Amino acid sequence: MPEFKTYSPVFDPSTNNGLDFKVFVYELPDEFHVELKRQQKRCISDQYGTEIRIHEDLLKSPLRTLDPEEAEFFYVPWYGECFLFREEKRDHKNAISTTNKWFIRAVNFVKQEYPYFNRTLGRDHVFVFPGARGPHIFRDWKRHIRKSIFMTPEGDRSLGEQFNTWKDVIIPGLEADVELTSGKTRELDGERNQLAFFRGTIWNRGGSSYSRGIRIKMADALKGVTDVTFGEAEKSCDRACYRREMRRSVYCLCPRGWSPWTLRAYSAMMAGCIPVLLADEIEFPYENFLNWNALTVKIPEAQAEDVVQILRSIPQSVVEQKQAAIARVWKMVTWKHPAEPGDAFHTVMADLGLKRRLMKASTYTFWDHDHVKRSS
């Protein structure tokens, strides 16, 4: 039986070692962050709320420096998904173009009010794009911030320039349900007497193009399987019911939607349920130091209709190994509030720290830092 290692000695989430760099957080006008949070309460608890959470956690973190000259990273706090959500309601037709202008104003502010972006062409600057479209909600991102570091939940390498595994950081989406993030759901008594569970959109107006038709195929294949729940959301099953169904299931099915990434995998881990991934191009957070094979089951999209047979063939000893592995690391994908050692914020920062060596190897960084020191 193979040994299921969950992470390497590169980073120990129980100690947060390696977090010895400094981040300068820009002071942008309120229109780019706090005003949006105040106007759009939904943004705080939405799965894209990481753009708010990371900003607020950084402001309280010892990683933050008020001296930009000692910073190794520069964080630009903008709530782009929140702004776009507001504009979609105000003027759907022009929402993207209005959002694009808003992004450009923010970038121009950073470039004109501070000297730090220009000295590295933005290579040490960090931007959060918490939605599946990543930086594409900023239509002109390639012209303005192409070399910068993006924090995004979408690690789909098939999308080309949207995500670059060498410079960008994949982040977990925000699960705001306190019953899950506190660990209370996973601690509930009871056996896991259901094989697998899924509730969500199956029949989308996009037809078979949605989820590449995978969810529709699975719904047909799983009809009549008594120990599997696979259906759309129901009024009879509220949020508490949803959590209970995860808690009593061995596996939580995570088929792709419009894109590969899914919040379901992280919510499942918080409930102690093994995520079953059906998204061929997906890349997860922390793949530099976290072994996702020990935590999940990945099934090729082409075998979606065989999911039950595949899951039933997994030995109980392997199931128990995966459950134990999840129990050790589930906090790494959980945005605790307030942030605490070993949670998603600290682990994302650890992943960011691994990019530091790449930044230091940048010709731009060396030349410009030396130039600043010589001329000061």
Side-chain angles (χ1 to χ4, degrees), residues 256-276:
R256 62 172 294 132
W258 283 116
S259 68
W261 99 272
T262 172
L263 187 66
R264 298 176 190 280
Y266 312 124
S267 304
M269 291 173 68
M270 295 173 206
C273 188
I274 301 170
V276 178

Side-chain angles (χ1 to χ4, degrees), residues 195-199 215 218 222 228-230 242 249-256 262 264-265 268 273-278 299 304 307-308 311:
L195 178 67
F197 164 75
F198 170 88
R199 281 197 189 279
R215 296 188 183 189
M218 292 178 71
L222 295 173
V228 174
T229 295
F230 194 92
Y242 185 88
S249 299
V250 176
Y251 298 104
C252 287
L253 304 175
C254 306
R256 62 172 294 132
T262 172
R264 298 176 190 280
C273 188
I274 301 170
V276 178
L277 312 171
L278 296 105
I299 297 176
V307 63
V308 168
L311 296 180

Side-chain angles (χ1 to χ4, degrees), residues 250-251 274 311 314-324:
V250 176
Y251 298 104
I274 301 170
L311 296 180
I314 298 174
Q316 181 61 26
S317 59
V318 174
V319 171
E320 292 172 1
Q321 285 178 316
K322 290 181 184 292
Q323 290 171 333

Side-chain angles (χ1 to χ4, degrees), residues 30-47:
D30 287 357
E31 67 165 302
F32 296 105
H33 41 75
V34 295
E35 277 186 12
L36 291 164
K37 176 186 173 183
R38 189 162 50 243
Q39 296 167 1
Q40 307 286 323
K41 298 299 183 183
R42 171 185 181 273
C43 299
I44 300 172
S45 57
D46 188 89
Q47 63 179 337

Side-chain angles (χ1 to χ4, degrees), residues 18 70 122 167 214 240 259 354:
E70 73 171 5
K167 71 176 182 67
I214 293 169
S259 68
L354 297 178

